[in-house]
Amino acid sequence: MVPGDTLRKSLSFTAGILILTLTGIFGSFESRAVIRDTLYFDMVLLTVMISGTAYLVAAPLRERGLVPAVLNGLVGGLVVTVGLALLVILQLNVDMRFVFQNLGNLNGGTLTFKQTIDPGNGSLNGLLLLLAYGAGLGALAGALVHAPPRLRSVAVISATLTIILGMVFGQVQRVIALPDALMLLVVVSVAYGVALRLPDTGSPRLTLRLGVGAAIGVAFAIVLALIANNGGLDSGGILRGSGSMPAILQMTISGSLPGFMAVLVVAGAVGALAAGGSPLVHNGTAYLLVFLLVLGVMNWQGRMTITSALLIFGLLALLFWFAPLMAQRAERSFEKTPRQDQQRMLLVFAAAAFGVMIFAPQFLGLYISNVFNLIALYALMGIGLNVMIGYAGLLDLGYVASFAIGAYTLGILTTPNLLTCGGVHPDNIPFPEIEATCTGVMSFWAAWPFCVLFSALTGALLGIPVLRLRGDYLAIVTLGFGEIINRIIMSNTFKPLLGGAQGITPIPTPALDLTAVNDTWVVNFNNSASFFYLFMFGLGLAAFVVYRLANSRLGRAWRAIRADEDVAQAMGIHLVRNKLLAFGISSAFAGLGGAVFGASVQGIFPNSFTLLVSINVLSLIIIGGMGSIPGMVVGAMILVGLPELLRELDAYRLLAFGALLVTVMIVKPEGLLPPKPARLSEGATPPQSDAEMVQAVQAAQGVQVAQKGSHGD
Amino acid sequence: MTTKSATPRSATDAITRLVLRNTIRNPLRFVGLILLGYIAFIALSNIIDGDYTLELFVRQLIFGLSQGSIYALIALGYTLVYGILFMINFAHGEVFMAGAYFGFFALYAMGETGLLQSQTALALILAVVIGALGSATVAVLLERIAYRPLRSAPRLVPLITAIGASITLQQLFLRLFGASARRYPDVSLYVLPNVFKNLECSIVEGVEVCRGMDLIRGLYTVDVLGLTLRLRPITFIVFFISLAMMGALWFIIQRTKTGRAMRAVAEDKSTALLMGINVDRVIVTTFILGALLAGAGGVLFALIPGNGQITPTMGFLPGIKAFTAAVVGGIGNIPGAMFGGLFLGVIEAIGPSLLGLDHQLRDVIAFGMLVFVLIFRPTGIFGEVLSEKKV
């Protein structure tokens, strides 16, 4: 019943788990709560390790029925726990502190279920518990092999997200209050429901929908405002609920009723539009609403309790269960919409999304805004590097060089130094005269185009010597460039200009002076919420430029070079010019990123410009899916955003990162969101697989045969 | 890129061709030549001014050779794997680091049991062997887990995997053995007290005792050919041990059946398979050979006084530089890797003071040299022109 393969596999997984244990992973997460006072992350880890092993061991036996699967799962779980138990006993007898410095005392920790064992007087309860847990969980995981696949994946995804939410509770708790979230949900759902029942034949469908949605929003706004003004927001009032004060509802009594109405009108319109939108729009709205609701629940509960965990899990499970079904329905109704309407609808929706984005940082708070800024920065650089790697096929491991050049150009141009003060060291100028002497100092707005330009130029220049190199040589030379730049900015030789190890501080914060229009309009970009707009601008610009470039003559030339240099040259593509353009454009985006980054941290520190930046950007391209712009954003969210939220797991961040790279490459080498194959002609869908290709060809032949037949008649 | 040229008719013709080839037809080379000339000018003027003395040169040359022999040991691993799989084993620097760690724990254990004090030479050899074996284990696991499933994947995929594996190994060692530096024990190995009668003397209970030459930590002033040099015996030891290991590798590859199988696989995997060669095993052997050299190199490196602090990130820079060395020598070429390593070590040791540069810019010299080599000889100094099919 238990094939040798099971033992072999369980043993190798156990070896990996033991190595992880030796790094002290359980001790590190002992006090990291997922559910307050109930579930800690170390237990989650142990559970994942055991059930993961058991599942992978049992999975190949799916065909053989339930009993072998359960049995093999049990064996897998048992092998893991026996290994762990042996390690605990080994630690009791051998002092391993010198070698494994992070390994705390396993006895009395997670592995013994907080019980102290003592083989001397026979108290082995902790270890027995561990073995029982391993066997039981293993059997359960083995049985899971036979669960319906969709149910299984929904459960796993929801549970994972619940755990992640539990761990980032403190950071996301203040985003939205439950009454606000519920109100938005109700308005959107009502508008959605009404829009679904609208007559299908009305010709100006879009206007009708928008009108109905807006009307629903206005109706809700009036009713809610009436309730609120009659004490509905007092403590114990029906609109108040518990948790923190609902910020949007608060607008009804704080005098900004028009703003409140606008929010609800937008919500109503979004709901009405989503009813006939494309599947992406449709489900995007659903995801957004459920996540807002989940955040509302977290705000209401104040901390992760068992109740809130179950609630969140339930909400997420419902969402993931129904999302594909809803998408199918949306797809069907969307296909019936005339094409012109489709495009207009997407346009309106993009405008609505833009509006949401504009207001987002005001609700998100500084910390979350900062995370979004980092995501945008890395997505921007990913899009830039993608030009080189994804389109032109030039592997660049020294992307950080262009990033650093952009940042340092900003630093040099916006602060007093040798260059901007006409060759005099600013330390030698008396303070009151600095402004008069250093005439070269620019504002951020004047300086950033120079950063982009200079970055692009140096990028193209660096490209010249490596033009003829291919593949790995190129990789190593660009890596060398990155290191050279890093050494140069750190060195004392260039300290007068580049600041050496101290870097350049402070960089003045950019300010948008609109006093010419209105006396009070001065926007000072001095915190992460305001920089959000700059980063989004950069990201939007990069996405737009690259999107347009990808389908241009230049983009096609790059792809031809990537496919085969010699053939591309034979087809009349100018290799040098196109490659240099790839280098230049790619570096320009890094320069832009560097400039905004330098301004946002208000200083330029050489430690920010290490090889790790290049590797991060490269990895997010690879993991997101080479060549796809949404892939970059998703990649940045996973590789930059998630670790940033899980800051406390810093010790294991890079380890997980490396392991993720290896795993993704082995399991899904094309990335998570690979670009769609280019459509050959309007309306043509490319065949998905060989089988479909064959079908398509047969169908085409069938048509020909039929035509011949008809000619014969 | 090499222009097919008929035999030049006259000397002037040849010179014209040479000039043309380096200027108008290839402006890049022209710029490179000007830069090279400028560097040579600075170097010459430094020598003429007397800022750079012969003594300094010899000292740096010897230091550079020992440093370079470590680079060469690592570079061989890169070259071996590249020769067979055409992939950069980015994690090879970490294999080197692993060797240093395993050697450290071996030395520590032997220090605890007293073997290090009683049988120092044996203990040191054992440490090198254990370091090498530990590295080999890491490399075998690396190949099995990370590289083997990707053997037929597009070329970018294994490279990314290798980067991931490099980070993973580094972080794993960091978490397992602690982030703080581990310090190699201060070992002294005294030899030949009868020959070096006036070295390492101390007064023990009123009697002067001379213990001979300290091979590991000694630093002696020697007069050779009128030059007063301060030398460390360890630099010579590292150099010669490395040479011996490289010789052994050369023997394995050229003279044994395994070596022949390796060369066959490097030439053409599928044909080798048809000839009854177990390709998987040959690839594993290649990884093992490279890792043995790197692991031994790791221990030797850490034994040199001044390098005794080992950290999980210590493998990165030597790894990158060794790859540079392999490219300079011509990647996939074994004598090339040896030469490239030594060359890089020497250039790096001599460069900063010869050019009057800040010592911090040492690494810039190494990478700058790589760029020059690639401009003038993209296949490396010893490299053959690989056909496009292979690359």
Side-chain angles (χ1 to χ4, degrees), chain A residues 417-459:
Chain A
N417 56 35
L418 279 181
L419 203 71
T420 47
C421 295
V424 190
H425 198 280
D427 286 356
N428 302 332
I429 308 172
F431 183 73
E433 290 169 31
I434 277 198
E435 218 162 300
T437 323
C438 301
T439 45
V441 176
M442 298 178 176
S443 74
F444 171 81
W445 308 107
W448 77 262
F450 287 98
C451 303
V452 173
L453 214 65
F454 193 60
S455 234
L457 257 174
T458 43

Side-chain angles (χ1 to χ4, degrees), chain B residues 90-105:
Chain B
F90 216 86
H92 196 57
E94 272 59 48
V95 172
F96 164 79
M97 175 271 292
Y101 264 87
F102 286 114
F104 167 76
F105 287 121

Side-chain angles (χ1 to χ4, degrees), chain A residues 567-589:
Chain A
V567 174
Q569 196 166 23
M571 303 304 277
I573 289 171
H574 198 299
L575 284 190
V576 172
R577 195 175 59 206
N578 285 309
K579 277 188 175 184
L580 285 186
L581 270 174
F583 269 103
I585 291 172
S586 182
S587 310
F589 289 126

Side-chain angles (χ1 to χ4, degrees), chain A residues 98 102 470 476-477 487 492, chain B residues 175 182 323 360 363 374:
Chain A
F98 178 77
N102 296 318
R470 295 181 185 192
I476 208 75
V477 174
R487 290 306 181 284
N492 290 332
Chain B
R175 295 298 308 168
R182 301 288 190 128
F323 185 80
Q360 288 169 313
D363 304 328
L374 289 174

Side-chain angles (χ1 to χ4, degrees), chain A residues 211-293:
Chain A
V212 169
I216 291 168
V218 170
F220 265 96
I222 291 172
V223 173
L224 287 172
L226 280 176
I227 301 176
N229 281 310
N230 283 315
L233 279 178
D234 297 345
S235 58
I238 54 166
L239 289 186
R240 174 72 183 269
S242 51
S244 58
M245 195 65 180
I248 303 177
L249 278 167
Q250 181 74 17
M251 292 159 96
T252 53
I253 51 172
S254 65
S256 42
L257 195 60
F260 177 68
M261 247 178 208
V263 170
L264 288 202
V265 165
V266 168
V270 165
L273 276 180
S278 72
L280 181 74
V281 164
H282 191 272
N283 275 18
T285 315
Y287 281 104
L288 187 68
L289 279 178
V290 174
F291 270 97
L292 281 183
L293 193 61

Side-chain angles (χ1 to χ4, degrees), chain B residues 38-164:
Chain B
Y38 179 65
I39 291 172
F41 169 74
I42 295 180
L44 264 179
S45 62
N46 270 338
I47 293 172
I48 292 168
D49 289 352
D51 292 339
Y52 195 75
T53 58
L54 190 58
E55 272 171 28
L56 197 59
F57 171 72
V58 175
R59 206 178 68 200
Q60 288 179 338
L61 179 72
I62 292 171
F63 176 77
L65 281 177
S66 77
Q67 189 76 18
S69 55
I70 304 273
Y71 289 152
L73 284 180
I74 310 174
L76 282 169
Y78 277 113
T79 266
L80 282 173
V81 170
Y82 195 91
I84 286 190
L85 289 179
F86 297 108
M87 68 167 280
I88 304 179
N89 179 10
F90 216 86
H92 196 57
E94 272 59 48
V95 172
F96 164 79
M97 175 271 292
Y101 264 87
F102 286 114
F104 167 76
F105 287 121
L107 274 183
Y108 176 79
M110 290 186 284
E112 293 284 290
T113 53
L115 188 72
L116 185 61
Q117 289 77 14
S118 57
Q119 295 282 338
T120 312
L122 177 69
L124 287 175
I125 292 171
L126 263 178
V128 172
V129 170
I130 290 173
L133 290 178
S135 280
T137 318
V138 171
V140 169
L141 288 175
L142 190 67
E143 196 272 335
R144 184 70 194 81
I145 296 171
Y147 299 153
R148 193 177 292 182
L150 298 172
R151 203 156 296 154
S152 54
R155 285 165 60 80
L156 195 56
V157 172
L159 182 68
I160 305 288
T161 315
I163 292 176

